[in-house]
Amino acid sequence: GQQVMQIPQYQHVQEGEDFTTYCNSSTTLSNIQWYKQRPGGHPVFLIQLVKSGEVKKQKRLTFQFGEAKKNSSLHITATQTTDVGTYFCAGGANFGNEKLTFGTGTRLTIIP
Amino acid sequence: DAGVIQSPRHEVTEMGQEVTLRCKPISGHNSLFWYRQTMMRGLELLIYFNNNVPIDDSGMPEDRFSAKMPNASFSTLKIQPSEPRDSAVYFCASSFKGTGTTDTQYFGPGTRLTVL
């Protein structure tokens, strides 16, 4: 079945440093979504990417979808303590099929 | 909107007991998902419904697990009998399924289940 892996599993950064997490799918995706889960909380939707090579920005967050639609990345510029949490990518196999396969997640901790 | 509502928020039970987790999706949403999250296995999809009909239950671990959605505003996930390895956080999520899209999923706060 479809597998979605993320690296790194953990990342500790100094506040103000940049952070990147990478997501790789074993199969081609129709779309990819990113979610953030704060410690003790639940996943919260951040963004959806649909087009090959698509890049979207949300303030300090930049999301990319690979040309082959099998990988994606999330980059955070100048991290802040509010960025703490686990970031998940979630791949959709087909449009019209709502099933998402969640990645293994990257847990980000910030050193003040 | 109140968001997805789950109850109970915490459940501690003994091995062999029946456990029922409940979920109320966001009003107007027509798809509902049950996930299980553990440190070892991450976030796993157990089952999902569209218009109250189970569409994919391939993630349900075994016959001890069952899920129902009797109407558009309520779903249950039942474990009978429960085992210590079922200890996890169980999330319910809902979405509105349009045509030709994979829509945003809205997660509830989760139920933390501990089976002793």
Side-chain angles (χ1 to χ4, degrees), chain B:
Chain B
D1 197 324
V4 175
I5 299 172
Q6 290 186 248
S7 65
R9 294 293 306 278
H10 302 273
E11 176 81 29
V12 180
T13 190
E14 292 188 345
M15 183 174 62
Q17 296 297 307
E18 178 180 293
V19 175
T20 300
L21 311 182
R22 297 172 175 79
C23 176
K24 177 179 170 55
I26 292 172
S27 177
H29 282 189
N30 56 9
S31 292
L32 183 139
F33 307 80
W34 282 102
Y35 291 89
R36 177 173 68 178
Q37 186 174 43
T38 61
M39 289 295 293
M40 291 297 295
R41 301 177 66 89
L43 195 59
E44 305 172 275
L45 177 66
L46 300 177
I47 185 171
Y48 82 91
F49 297 82
N50 180 249
N51 291 325
N52 313 335
V53 176
I55 303 299
D56 187 338
D57 66 353
S58 59
M60 294 288 263
E62 49 197 273
D63 292 346
R64 297 185 298 107
F65 285 69
S66 62
K68 293 182 179 180
M69 192 164 186
N71 57 63
S73 59
F74 184 65
S75 177
T76 59
L77 178 68
K78 185 176 292 186
I79 309 172
Q80 165 64 20
S82 58
E83 297 182 3
R85 59 191 169 123
D86 301 330
S87 298
V89 179
Y90 291 81
F91 288 106
C92 174
S94 71
S95 70
F96 177 74
K97 182 182 185 302
T99 54
T101 62
T102 305
D103 295 284
T104 300
Q105 294 185 16
Y106 295 83
F107 283 74
T111 295
R112 182 173 295 276
L113 173 65
T114 302
V115 183
L116 303 174

Side-chain angles (χ1 to χ4, degrees), chain A residues 37-90:
Chain A
Q37 184 177 18
R38 293 183 185 276
H42 57 276
V44 175
F45 173 80
L46 293 176
I47 207 160
Q48 182 184 51
L49 303 170
V50 175
K51 299 176 183 175
S52 170
E54 188 171 13
V55 178
K56 286 188 176 180
K57 292 190 176 185
Q58 287 181 349
K59 297 183 180 178
R60 295 178 295 103
L61 278 61
T62 302
F63 303 84
Q64 290 188 317
F65 200 9
E67 293 289 341
K69 301 183 77 173
K70 294 183 71 174
N71 57 75
S72 181
S73 65
L74 158 60
H75 179 82
I76 303 178
T77 303
T79 54
Q80 300 175 359
T81 55
T82 53
D83 296 325
V84 164
T86 301
Y87 292 85
F88 293 96
C89 62

